[in-house]
Amino acid sequence: MPQTAAILLKDLRFGWRKNLPEVLHIPELEVPRGERIFIGGASGSGKSTLLALLAGVNLPTRGEVTVLGETINRLSGARRDHFRSDHIGFVFQLFNLIPYLSVLENVTLPCRFSQLRRQKATESGGDLHSEAMRLLTHLDMAHESLIHRPVTELSVGQQQRVATARALIGAPEIIIADEPTSALDSDMRQAFLRLLFQECDETGSTLLFVSHDRQLASLFERHIALDELNQADQEGR
Amino acid sequence: MAILSLAFKSLFNRRYTAGLILISIALSVSLLLAVERLRVESRNSFAHTISGTDLVVGARSGSINLLLYSIFRIGDATNNISWKSYQKFAEHDLVKWTIPISLGDSHKGYRVMGTNQDYFRYYKYGHKKSLTLNQGQPFKQVYQAVLGQEVARKLGYQVGEKIVIAHGAGKTSFTRHDDKPFEVVGILEPTGTPVDRTVHVPLEGIEAIHKDWIAGRQVAGLQISAEEALEKNLTPKVITAFLVGLKSKIATFRIQREINDYRKEPLLAILPGVALQQLWDMMGVAENALLVVTVLVVFVGLIGMLTVMLAGLNERRREMAILRSVGARPGHILLLVTGESLLLSLLGIALGLLLLYTGLLLGQPAIESRYGLHLPIGIPALREWIILGLIGTSSLIIGLIPGYRAYRYSLSDGMSMRI
Ligand SMILES: Nc1ncnc2c1ncn2[C@@H]1O[C@H](COP(=O)(O)OP(=O)(O)OP(=O)(O)O)[C@@H](O)[C@H]1O
Ligand SMILES: [Mg+2]
């Protein structure tokens, strides 16, 4: 099977609204599969916007977004949503969990929307529940006292680990993390990253990691400064 | 399906607010259904205040007026009809039976009605139900009385009680026929009709107590004792109205015309069913007002739900973004939020039905024995299903409002986290 790139952007342009100036203009970007990439850039530089484009939640005004060989901006809305749930796992900065679901329900949430990930998770763990427990164990979150607690009572670091298990379940090819560590102290940050790398290596997932924190950049194979990559008019941002 | 289970969990997470909304919807639904059931049943029982009677005949006035005083004991007759005219039609070839009615006196606010034995034989109400006695027997002698159920219950009378009849209809009538008391010989079963509020005595009894009265006043010096009165001719000269049962229904309109065209006296014959319908329609305004109020109560319950759903929406934009990130479509978000409202109102409807039936089970015997109104506990009638369907549909439409807002949010926010 010819390995297509995990992500391929061509002449990507994006503005939030017609009357607003362009936020992003990326002439070209290619991310090979399995790579761990650090995306840095000033606040407001468009990092989260770029992730939303990669996820197919927003569409570029021009250009192409190709993920795993699929040009997702040509897909219908339903197919894009489907594609996202099948192939991409997310971790956000804070409050990643659905407050009314249990720890395990939060972890298995993507399997409600993706048949593919449900299938992969079941194959790997025997059933959804044990696969979720396996991931939580890796992330040191499988204590009885923790998983039966309402998610709103978990510490921030614990919440981030549950969110990571959710991003990883069903082994999606791409993991996108948007500042997942900015609420953690530096020791926690290191530990969290180690766990994340380990899991990504295990499943062979491509990791896109967004952060302000340049200190972390050295831990990644590749480092993209969005401010330099982005050709959009600086005044617009 | 996955989304609906999320909706359920999200509701359960907010179970205190959701529970309050649920209770308000359930109460309003059960109120609406109870009012509807009472309305249908009271209309039914009203339409069956009298049955089996083909014509009601009185002096010429309005048909509603005739119905009111002859059947409902409300108001007074403008005129009497002569015994002779009554006899003429009572002996008519096509007439099977008649019941004479003589009104004008009262006992402690309850109307006294003079009639004869045929009343107990032929008078029917409800679905062709005859009058039955709970205690005692029909009157046989002049100074005997049979009480309606309410009269006996409210005044605490038993068989054997002696009662005095007052002249006129007022509760505090000063002129009383206290020289000629009546003995209670029977008490009727409850009927849920004006019969319950009537004191029945023989026509001869009415005649006897008025022997020493002329033109509505007791004549001084002309005292006739109870025993002396029995010696006199007690055939009345006038009565107030009479009920007619015909040998064949086909003759109804013919006899009605014959009575209405009677030359010797201006009479009016009405079909009780038609007049009852007219009367009910006159009262329909109040009935509809009640229905409108209860419909508004349900509406207020649903608006309460809308308020809570809309108020909580902004706080949930993050939740929507997370759902979007794991693959939920904007349509899923719409379904989630609308589903919550729908779930809440369906649960409200179910709980409302439960409340209704509990209330019916507990209240039915009391209502039946006190008001003679039988409230059926059967499954909802078609109209009630329609009402429930309309509540369900309106809650769906109302639920679409926050649903659509959440949908718009999820389109504009995408995955960006907004708090
Ligand atoms: N939903 C939106 N509608 C309109 N404009 C938006 C929206 N989201 C972001 N923007 C604008 O797009 C630009 C880029 O925002 P973005 O969130 O991508 O920045 P970022 O690099 O992620 O910043 P931070 O590091 O603070 O998270 C900003 O100017 C922001 O105001
Ligand atoms: Mg951001």
Side-chain angles (χ1 to χ4, degrees):
Chain A
M1 183 173 88
Q3 277 282 7
T4 50
I7 287 157
L8 186 62
L9 303 183
K10 272 205 188 121
D11 193 31
L12 176 91
R13 284 170 187 269
F14 180 77
W16 277 101
R17 274 186 286 278
K18 278 217 171 67
N19 51 347
L20 290 180
E22 229 166 43
V23 178
L24 283 177
H25 175 202
I26 301 177
E28 180 152 23
L29 175 68
E30 183 172 350
V31 179
R33 292 198 186 211
E35 213 172 39
R36 295 200 292 258
I37 295 209
F38 180 93
I39 301 173
S43 177
S45 58
K47 301 183 295 295
S48 300
T49 306
L50 175 63
L51 298 185
L53 289 167
L54 295 177
V57 174
N58 293 107
L59 286 176
T61 31
R62 228 185 271 166
E64 281 184 358
V65 181
T66 307
V67 180
L68 303 169
E70 186 83 65
T71 307
I72 59 170
N73 53 303
R74 296 217 192 104
L75 296 177
S76 70
R79 295 281 304 280
R80 265 183 287 128
D81 289 321
H82 208 114
F83 186 85
R84 172 168 69 255
S85 67
D86 277 351
H87 302 290
I88 307 178
F90 287 89
V91 190
F92 296 107
Q93 179 174 6
L94 254 187
F95 308 116
N96 263 301
L97 306 177
I98 304 284
Y100 50 81
L101 296 180
S102 71
V103 168
L104 281 173
E105 284 166 339
N106 262 291
V107 174
T108 55
L109 189 61
C111 303
R112 285 182 196 246
F113 295 96
S114 164
Q115 193 59 46
L116 182 70
R117 280 172 76 179
R118 163 181 287 267
Q119 194 185 321
K120 284 208 253 175
T122 319
E123 272 165 22
S124 153
D127 62 74
L128 273 190
H129 186 267
S130 10
E131 174 65 1
M133 282 308 284
R134 188 185 69 82
L135 288 167
L136 287 170
T137 312
H138 282 212
L139 296 163
D140 201 21
M141 270 298 294
H143 311 293
E144 282 294 306
S145 63
L146 286 179
I147 60 169
H148 293 301
R149 209 173 283 176
V151 294
T152 44
E153 285 177 16
L154 297 178
S155 76
V156 178
Q158 288 166 340
Q159 290 188 25
Q160 291 306 73
R161 279 182 276 164
V162 174
T164 307
R166 183 181 64 203
L168 290 168
I169 198 163
E173 289 86 341
I174 296 172
I175 305 287
I176 291 180
D178 192 356
E179 309 192 43
T181 55
S182 55
L184 305 178
D185 64 43
S186 67
D187 286 350
M188 291 266 296
R189 215 169 283 177
Q190 301 280 340
F192 178 83
L193 270 183
R194 239 189 343 269
L195 285 170
L196 189 58
F197 286 176
Q198 185 189 320
E199 292 303 320
C200 286
D201 283 347
E202 211 161 287
T203 52
S205 303
T206 309
L207 174 65
L208 297 182
F209 188 96
V210 165
S211 180
H212 297 290
D213 190 350
R214 291 187 167 270
Q215 286 181 331
L216 296 174
S218 57
L219 299 168
F220 289 79
E221 296 165 358
R222 187 169 156 202
H223 170 200
I224 294 172
L226 192 59
D227 304 283
E228 293 160 23
L229 185 70
N230 190 2
Q231 303 289 302
D233 179 12
Q234 295 296 310
E235 276 158 42
R237 287 182 270 137
Chain B
M1 211 48 238
I3 283 293
L4 284 188
S5 94
L6 282 188
F8 187 80
K9 284 179 174 139
S10 151
L11 276 184
F12 187 74
N13 189 48
R14 290 173 287 159
R15 52 192 169 277
Y16 298 111
T17 3
L20 283 176
I21 301 172
L22 190 69
I23 289 170
S24 82
I25 292 177
L27 283 177
S28 64
V29 166
S30 61
L31 184 68
L32 177 58
L33 289 180
V35 164
E36 168 67 11
R37 218 161 253 218
L38 269 176
R39 203 181 61 82
V40 169
E41 281 320 307
S42 48
R43 162 186 290 227
N44 247 332
S45 107
F46 185 85
H48 292 107
T49 305
I50 180 170
S51 68
T53 295
D54 296 307
L55 292 169
V56 178
V57 184
R60 190 165 295 162
S61 62
S63 60
I64 301 272
N65 189 36
L66 172 55
L67 187 77
L68 281 178
Y69 69 72
S70 65
I71 306 299
F72 289 94
R73 325 261 187 269
I74 295 170
D76 291 298
T78 46
N79 253 314
N80 287 326
I81 56 183
S82 74
W83 184 253
K84 264 194 206 149
S85 306
Y86 165 59
Q87 282 302 312
K88 171 160 168 48
F89 289 107
E91 280 152 20
H92 195 288
D93 280 345
L94 294 171
V95 170
K96 189 170 167 202
W97 54 261
T98 57
I99 296 170
I101 293 173
S102 181
L103 298 160
D105 288 344
S106 65
H107 174 74
K108 297 198 173 160
Y110 293 103
R111 296 292 177 103
V112 171
M113 180 178 120
T115 182
N116 62 19
Q117 296 267 345
D118 286 345
Y119 178 71
F120 299 100
R121 198 172 306 144
Y122 296 117
Y123 189 88
K124 289 198 169 63
Y125 68 98
H127 296 278
K128 301 267 161 67
K129 275 197 273 188
S130 295
L131 297 173
T132 46
L133 283 135
N134 177 281
Q135 286 175 45
Q137 56 202 34
F139 49 69
K140 289 205 178 62
Q141 287 164 31
V142 176
Y143 297 117
Q144 291 184 335
V146 170
L147 306 181
Q149 184 266 165
E150 184 185 321
V151 182
R153 178 167 52 83
K154 284 266 173 71
L155 301 178
Y157 289 165
Q158 304 288 332
V159 169
E161 188 92 29
K162 296 262 193 236
I163 61 172
V164 168
I165 289 171
H167 193 72
K171 201 163 199 156
T172 48
S173 184
F174 292 112
T175 47
R176 314 200 313 163
H177 305 284
D178 37 14
D179 56 335
K180 301 186 184 72
F182 285 71
E183 186 196 354
V184 176
V185 294
I187 293 167
L188 293 167
E189 290 279 7
T191 63
T193 73
V195 170
D196 294 352
R197 295 187 294 278
T198 306
V199 176
H200 308 87
V201 299
L203 279 178
E204 293 79 13
I206 299 279
E207 192 62 22
I209 56 178
H210 292 107
K211 264 297 165 197
D212 46 6
W213 287 53
I214 292 166
R217 312 187 117 262
Q218 192 161 19
V219 181
L222 179 75
Q223 242 95 5
I224 298 172
S225 75
E227 291 73 30
E228 284 167 347
L230 289 177
E231 305 296 311
K232 309 241 173 201
N233 174 16
L234 291 178
T235 307
K237 288 173 196 63
V238 292
I239 57 173
T240 317
F242 61 95
L243 311 180
V244 180
L246 298 172
K247 286 179 180 151
S248 153
K249 300 261 177 237
I250 303 166
T252 308
F253 290 105
R254 203 181 119 195
I255 304 293
Q256 185 187 25
R257 202 169 324 115
E258 232 171 272
I259 295 174
N260 286 339
D261 294 346
Y262 187 55
R263 292 280 166 113
K264 301 206 175 118
E265 198 175 356
L267 296 178
L268 173 69
I270 59 168
L271 284 72
V274 175
L276 278 168
Q277 189 59 51
Q278 286 175 346
L279 191 55
W280 185 265
D281 289 346
M282 279 167 60
M283 305 194 300
V285 182
E287 178 201 9
N288 286 340
L290 189 61
L291 202 61
V292 166
V293 168
T294 45
V295 166
L296 283 179
V297 170
V298 173
F299 197 64
V300 168
L302 292 181
I303 293 293
M305 175 177 81
L306 176 65
T307 314
V308 171
M309 287 295 169
L310 280 179
L313 216 52
N314 214 23
E315 296 158 25
R316 298 181 63 190
R317 289 170 85 162
R318 172 170 286 276
E319 174 193 331
M320 310 293 164
I322 296 169
L323 286 172
R324 288 283 276 141
S325 81
V326 296
R329 309 198 46 206
H332 283 135
I333 305 294
L334 176 80
L335 197 63
L336 172 67
V337 176
T338 309
E340 284 172 13
S341 306
L342 195 61
L343 217 56
L344 207 51
S345 43
L346 290 183
L347 284 174
I349 288 174
L351 191 62
L353 278 171
L354 194 71
L355 280 177
L356 175 77
Y357 282 108
T358 318
L360 280 178
L361 275 173
L362 294 179
Q364 193 198 40
I367 292 175
E368 173 131 37
S369 71
R370 278 190 89 94
Y371 304 105
L373 197 62
H374 178 80
L375 291 176
I377 305 191
I379 56 158
L382 177 65
R383 247 184 86 100
E384 293 174 329
W385 284 120
I386 292 174
I387 289 175
L388 291 179
L390 283 177
I391 297 174
T393 318
S394 10
S395 66
L396 177 62
I397 292 168
I398 285 177
L400 278 171
I401 298 170
Y404 181 71
R405 278 194 77 146
Y407 174 84
R408 297 296 312 174
Y409 280 162
S410 76
L411 277 184
S412 70
D413 293 357
M415 282 189 320
S416 47
M417 296 290 184
R418 279 159 208 289
I419 317 172

